[in-house]
Amino acid sequence: MKKLTLFSLFLAAVVIILGAYTRLTDAGLGCPDWPGCYGNLTVPLSEDKVAAANAAYPERPVEAFKAWNEMIHRYFAGTLGLCVLAIAIMAVRQRKTGTPLKLPLILLALIIFQAALGMWTVTLNLLPVVVMGHLLGGFSVLSCLFILYLRLRRRDTSNNEVAEEHSASAHSAWQKLRFLAFVGIAVVVTQIALGGWTSANYAALACTEMPVCESGWQQRLDFAGAYSVPDADNYEFGAHDYDERVTMHIMHRAGALVTFFYVLALGIGVLVSRATSVAQKRISLFMLGSLVVQVALGISNIVFMLPLAVAVMHNAVAAVLLLSLLNLVFSFVVSAPSKVKRAHDATSPSRYTLSGAAMPAASFSSHSLTKAPGGFHG
């Protein structure tokens, strides 16, 4: 099951990248029906099939390149759905052996909802709310698969774990970093949602100057319009006016600044803290590296006018950044240290307590606490 989960994790990442590529090549409606393409399991290529497809959908004539982009995305997404179904079945069968059950079932429900969102994306003509929901759903599937893999790997190695001991002050610092890591998840997810809304409304190039936007952007702000859904028969290429798109773009840039400084502070905090393990420091270094790459890609999108490869990588690295934060949070959850404190006993002043149990001071000292590979086991 662990190997299948790992395969599904990589497959989910491929699906997210293909989804971004499909969206950025304006191929979201490359096949105007669902789940097939012009009533076929593959893209119609023969003259007869193309003629029949054009007759059935005169408003959307066959464009083979866009249609193949859409169908390849669907093929991979369908394969991912089958893998998640297999994981859920295995989890039910192995539920008495300590295999996680709730998370695989949640994943199965999530993948079914994702399929519905994929259908609505087409049938509702790229309605921005649905497109953004489909994007967030993809990230949710990826995140759940990652957490499931971490849990399965930890289950296989949990017998080798040793609880780490912290002083009272170090324990307090550790708890604060754990809370900040949880908040970091919310910050990154919010920024991904802002980016998804900007992309779904074709506002990525609403501002082409740095650091904020073209002159006079302050007078163009329209938050109510930017985060509403105007009436339209088709949302391809966007239905919002320029001021509303500028607002979306500026909010995404503002969110990027908040995310950058927050994740930077969190990563540095983990690196310099004595309460964190070597594994957690390594995760933070990787997280900070992903953050720098993501910011560079975001700036490149503006400077080079949204190159396709850079824009796709911007989506991919956003997923990597989110997973690195989830990795850090998971390491905090599974490596809760024991709190070591001085016992105020008049008859035994040299005794310490470890999680409420008295132990002789000779068994350890504040300079020779048992070290464990803490952090991210399994």
Side-chain angles (χ1 to χ4, degrees):
M1 182 173 172
K2 184 175 69 174
K3 291 182 179 179
L4 179 58
T5 301
L6 181 61
F7 173 76
S8 301
L9 177 63
F10 282 105
L11 189 58
V14 172
V15 171
I16 287 177
I17 293 172
L18 288 175
Y21 183 78
T22 300
R23 186 172 64 255
L24 290 163
T25 54
D26 301 322
L29 294 177
C31 295
D33 52 343
W34 189 94
C37 189
Y38 293 93
N40 300 280
L41 291 177
T42 61
V43 177
L45 296 177
S46 66
E47 291 184 5
D48 292 342
K49 287 187 176 182
V50 170
N54 290 339
Y57 297 92
E59 77 287 352
R60 185 68 59 177
V62 175
E63 294 182 72
F65 173 74
K66 291 184 178 181
W68 273 118
N69 287 352
E70 174 66 10
M71 287 308 296
I72 290 173
H73 175 58
R74 292 184 191 180
Y75 294 150
F76 274 88
T79 304
L80 175 61
L82 293 175
C83 289
V84 170
L85 175 61
I87 290 171
I89 293 173
M90 294 173 66
V92 172
R93 289 182 175 179
Q94 300 174 12
R95 62 187 182 278
K96 295 182 179 179
T97 63
T99 300
L101 177 61
K102 293 181 180 179
L103 189 53
L105 294 179
I106 291 172
L107 259 170
L108 181 59
L110 189 58
I111 207 75
I112 293 172
F113 185 58
Q114 262 296 88
L117 286 172
M119 177 185 68
W120 294 331
T121 296
V122 176
T123 59
L124 296 178
N125 294 318
L126 304 182
L127 183 68
V129 173
V130 176
V131 173
M132 187 183 74
H134 195 45
L135 172 69
L136 293 177
F139 276 85
S140 299
V141 170
L142 181 73
S143 299
C144 288
L145 282 168
F146 185 61
I147 294 171
L148 178 61
Y149 175 73
L150 295 181
R151 289 184 61 185
L152 292 172
R153 198 173 70 169
R154 178 174 180 268
R155 182 194 63 177
D156 294 343
T157 59
S158 59
N159 292 334
N160 298 325
E161 294 182 6
V162 181
E164 189 171 356
E165 300 162 1
H166 282 174
S167 66
S169 60
H171 186 79
S172 176
W174 182 91
Q175 287 183 316
K176 181 182 291 186
L177 286 171
R178 182 179 64 173
F179 172 76
L180 293 176
F182 272 104
V183 174
I185 295 291
V187 171
V188 171
V189 169
T190 300
Q191 176 60 6
I192 290 172
L194 287 172
W197 186 254
T198 301
S199 178
N201 288 283
Y202 301 84
L205 291 177
C207 296
T208 57
E209 293 185 6
M210 301 291 290
V212 183
C213 196
E214 286 78 7
S215 60
W217 61 267
Q218 297 91 337
Q219 288 73 42
R220 293 186 176 278
L221 296 179
D222 181 2
F223 295 99
Y227 295 98
S228 64
V229 181
D231 293 330
D233 294 329
N234 192 319
Y235 293 91
E236 190 174 26
F237 306 117
H240 289 83
D241 62 32
Y242 179 67
D243 290 356
E244 293 166 347
R245 297 190 199 198
V246 166
T247 305
M248 298 173 198
H249 190 107
I250 289 173
M251 286 301 297
H252 183 48
R253 288 198 195 184
L257 285 175
V258 172
T259 302
F260 174 75
F261 286 113
Y262 187 93
V263 176
L264 179 65
L266 173 63
I268 293 174
V270 172
L271 288 175
V272 302
S273 175
R274 296 181 179 180
T276 53
S277 66
V278 173
Q280 288 168 332
K281 295 182 189 299
R282 289 174 179 170
I283 295 170
S284 293
L285 279 174
F286 182 82
M287 180 181 70
L288 291 175
S290 301
L291 178 67
V292 172
V293 172
Q294 182 69 344
V295 171
L297 289 170
I299 294 174
S300 298
N301 275 331
I302 305 301
V303 174
F304 301 109
M305 303 296 290
L306 203 66
L308 180 59
V310 174
V312 171
M313 285 301 298
H314 194 51
N315 283 264
V317 178
V320 172
L321 181 60
L322 176 60
L323 294 187
S324 65
L325 260 169
L326 286 171
N327 197 350
L328 182 62
V329 168
F330 186 83
S331 73
F332 277 114
V333 170
V334 302
S335 65
S338 301
K339 184 178 178 181
V340 182
K341 55 184 178 180
R342 184 72 175 242
H344 299 287
D345 189 336
T347 59
S348 303
S350 62
R351 294 172 68 84
Y352 291 80
T353 61
L354 175 58
S355 300
M359 298 181 65
S363 65
F364 62 92
S365 70
S366 61
H367 299 289
S368 60
L369 294 176
T370 304
K371 297 291 183 182
F376 178 40
H377 305 293

